[in-house]
Amino acid sequence: MIVLQNISRIFQVGDQQVYGLNDINLTINKGEYVSVMGASGSGKSTLLNILGLLDTPSLGHYHLLNHDTTRVSEPERDRLRREHIGFVFQSYHLVPRLTARENIELPLVLAGAPRAQRKAACDALLERLSLTDRAGHLPNQLSGGQRQRVAIARALITQPQLLLADEPTGNLDSHSGSEVITLLEALHQEGITLLVVTHDKSLGDRAERHLEMLDGRIVVDTRRSRRAASLA
C-alpha cells in the first residue's frame, strides 16, 4: 500500500540544510497497525506529513496505492489524499463555527457530494460513535473525548483506506483516551490501515508493528503477533 524509497526531507535553516527525514526506506502493507515513536525532533511529524500528502519529499519516491505521488500533479495529490487518507490530530482541528454534524460532513461538502449522500453517511457515523445527541453542538460545547470522536467521524466519512493519527489521545483523560483507542483499533480490525504517532509507550506497544525514529531515520522496526499486541 505504502512504499517509501530513499525519502529525504531537507529544510533550509539560515545557511544550513537540516534533514527532517534522512534516506527513509519503508513499506507498509494494507491492513497493518503501525505505531511511530521517538523524541521531539526525531522526524515523526515530518514522516506523517509526507505519508498524508501534506508535504512533499526533497528526494526519493513515495508510492501510495501504486501511484508515485512525487510525480503526479498537485490536483492528483489532492484527490489521492481526499479519497484514500483520513487524519486524526491531537488538537482535533475542528472548525469552531460549525456544528458536529457540519464538521463531519465537511469533506463530502468539499468533494461536492449530494446532500442526501452526506446526510446518510453522517447519520450512520453519528450513531456509531454515540454522537447523535451532540450533532447540533459546536466544538466548544463538547468534551475532549466527544471532539475527538467528531474528528474521527470526519476522517472516516470518505471511507479512507489509510488513517493517520497524530497523538490522538494527547489532550484526553485516561478514560476518554481509552475509548478513542478502542475505536481506532476496531476500525483497524475492519481492515483500515492504521498509523499512530505517539509519545505514549503503552499506546505504541499496542500496535502490531513498532517504528522508532531518531534524527530523521527509522532506527527500530519490530513486529509482534496480533495477540501479543492486543495484550499490551
Side-chain angles (χ1 to χ4, degrees):
M1 182 178 191
I2 289 171
V3 179
L4 302 183
Q5 297 174 317
N6 305 114
I7 290 288
S8 292
R9 181 64 173 97
I10 305 169
F11 300 97
Q12 193 71 33
V13 181
D15 59 355
Q16 293 185 326
Q17 289 188 331
V18 177
Y19 279 76
L21 297 178
N22 193 345
D23 197 29
I24 296 286
N25 289 282
L26 175 67
T27 297
I28 298 175
N29 296 317
K30 180 177 173 56
E32 283 200 84
Y33 176 10
V34 184
S35 66
V36 183
M37 299 189 69
S40 296
S42 62
K44 303 186 306 298
S45 294
T46 304
L47 177 63
L48 192 78
N49 287 340
I50 294 290
L51 292 175
L53 301 178
L54 298 173
D55 194 10
T56 55
S58 306
L59 299 168
H61 295 275
Y62 169 24
H63 296 264
L64 174 66
L65 297 168
N66 297 319
H67 296 271
D68 186 346
T69 66
T70 51
R71 293 184 180 273
V72 301
S73 66
E74 193 62 34
E76 178 67 6
R77 285 169 53 84
D78 291 343
R79 184 191 67 79
L80 288 169
R81 181 173 58 247
R82 181 176 64 249
E83 293 182 1
H84 300 294
I85 304 173
F87 299 90
V88 179
F89 299 100
Q90 176 177 351
S91 298
Y92 322 123
H93 289 192
L94 301 178
V95 180
R97 62 184 177 80
L98 299 183
T99 65
R101 173 183 289 279
E102 291 167 338
N103 267 284
I104 294 168
E105 286 187 352
L106 186 57
L108 291 184
V109 172
L110 296 175
R115 181 187 298 271
Q117 178 187 342
R118 300 198 309 263
K119 183 179 186 305
C122 189
D123 285 347
L125 286 168
L126 286 166
E127 181 176 357
R128 176 172 183 178
L129 275 65
S130 301
L131 290 166
T132 301
D133 62 342
R134 295 291 185 265
H137 288 60
L138 296 172
N140 64 6
Q141 298 171 317
L142 303 173
S143 69
Q146 290 167 343
R147 276 178 275 179
Q148 193 61 293
R149 279 184 280 147
V150 170
I152 292 171
R154 181 184 59 190
L156 294 177
I157 200 161
T158 57
Q159 299 181 317
Q161 298 183 53
L162 172 64
L163 186 60
L164 303 175
D166 188 5
E167 300 285 358
T169 63
N171 285 339
L172 303 178
D173 59 61
S174 58
H175 177 71
S176 297
S178 178
E179 288 184 338
V180 165
I181 290 305
T182 297
L183 173 59
L184 292 176
E185 291 180 345
L187 295 168
H188 164 250
Q189 292 294 326
E190 294 171 10
I192 202 166
T193 304
L194 175 61
L195 187 142
V196 178
V197 169
T198 182
H199 284 96
D200 184 344
K201 186 177 184 301
S202 64
L203 173 54
D205 285 346
R206 296 178 67 94
E208 296 155 13
R209 184 177 179 187
H210 172 73
L211 307 179
E212 189 163 339
M213 300 192 68
L214 177 68
D215 296 334
R217 296 181 181 272
I218 295 173
V219 294
V220 173
D221 184 351
T222 58
R223 299 174 188 266
R224 301 195 299 168
S225 69
R226 181 167 297 187
R227 182 176 184 275
S230 67
L231 294 174

